[in-house]
């Protein structure tokens, strides 16, 4: 897998997020103002974009946030999501970050727990889907 980091939202990330969040999961408000302040990571299998996420510093949460984590259906269960998280965490460490949080879909929280994250609070609803804030201290 090849990793590419973008300062602006690339077409490859838009395509993956549209397929995963809008077409598969039915979310309507996929793109927002945080895209313009984020670093975007895209994983490629050969030249095909297969996974993406974004990273931004949240003044409100006082840490980096990884968001919009998406893996194309054919690449799920192949450790691509863990590789994507690992790359995002490396980028945060490179920016002198030590704490990272994410708002996980509750149904995906076990995946994040396996990658070292723990739940912070009660469930909240985002676009009708239950989510939970999770955190990890990076080393």
């Amino acid at each position: 897998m090849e990793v590419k980091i973008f300062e602006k939202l690339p077409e490859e990330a838009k395509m993956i997020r549209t397929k995963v969040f809008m077409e598969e999961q039915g979310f309507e408000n996929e793109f927002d103002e945080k895209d313009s302040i984020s670093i975007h990571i895209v994983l490629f299998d050969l030249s095909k974009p297969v996974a993406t996420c974004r990273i931004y510093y949240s003044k409100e949460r006082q840490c980096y946030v990884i968001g919009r984590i998406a893996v194309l259906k054919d690449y799920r269960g192949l450790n691509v999501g863990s590789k994507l998280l690992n790359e995002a965490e490396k980028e945060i460490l490179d920016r002198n970050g030590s704490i990272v949080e994410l708002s996980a879909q509750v149904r995906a929280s076990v995946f994040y727990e396996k990658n070292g994250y723990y739940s912070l609070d009660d469930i909240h609803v985002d676009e009708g889907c239950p989510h939970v804030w999770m955190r990890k201290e990076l080393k």
Side-chain angles (χ1 to χ4, degrees):
M1 293 267 163
E2 181 185 6
V3 179
K4 290 188 181 177
I5 297 174
F6 300 88
E7 298 288 327
K8 294 188 184 319
L9 180 63
E11 289 302 315
E12 295 90 343
K14 286 181 187 176
M15 179 273 299
I16 295 168
R17 287 169 52 184
T18 297
K19 280 187 179 183
V20 171
F21 295 122
M22 298 176 83
E23 294 173 12
E24 286 180 29
Q25 298 180 10
F27 295 127
E28 294 178 9
N29 300 310
E30 174 50 27
F31 302 98
D32 62 23
E33 71 285 347
K34 290 186 179 85
D35 283 323
S36 65
I37 62 165
S38 296
I39 302 300
H40 302 271
I41 299 174
V42 180
L43 293 186
F44 292 82
D45 181 19
L46 301 175
S47 61
K48 178 182 180 179
V50 299
T52 190
C53 69
R54 69 181 184 191
I55 303 165
Y56 63 91
Y57 186 82
S58 170
K59 291 179 185 170
E60 175 187 344
R61 300 196 70 84
Q62 294 291 300
C63 66
Y64 279 91
V65 173
I66 301 174
R68 300 304 203 257
I69 300 159
V71 177
L72 292 180
K73 193 179 240 176
D74 291 347
Y75 287 83
R76 294 180 200 147
L78 302 175
N79 224 23
V80 173
S82 295
K83 177 160 180 49
L84 181 65
L85 272 181
N86 189 9
E87 293 297 333
E89 291 166 4
K90 280 187 209 171
E91 188 66 24
I92 290 167
L93 284 169
D94 286 349
R95 295 169 183 273
N96 298 315
S98 60
I99 296 174
V100 62
E101 291 183 0
L102 51 83
S103 179
Q105 292 183 15
V106 169
R107 64 184 174 160
S109 61
V110 171
F111 164 76
Y112 295 108
E113 287 170 358
K114 288 179 183 174
N115 282 278
Y117 289 78
Y118 59 90
S119 296
L120 286 178
D121 57 17
D122 294 329
I123 294 170
H124 60 278
V125 177
D126 187 3
E127 273 207 65
C129 180
H131 284 67
V132 61
W133 276 101
M134 301 184 81
R135 172 181 278 189
K136 182 176 181 179
E137 285 84 25
L138 303 179
K139 299 171 184 165

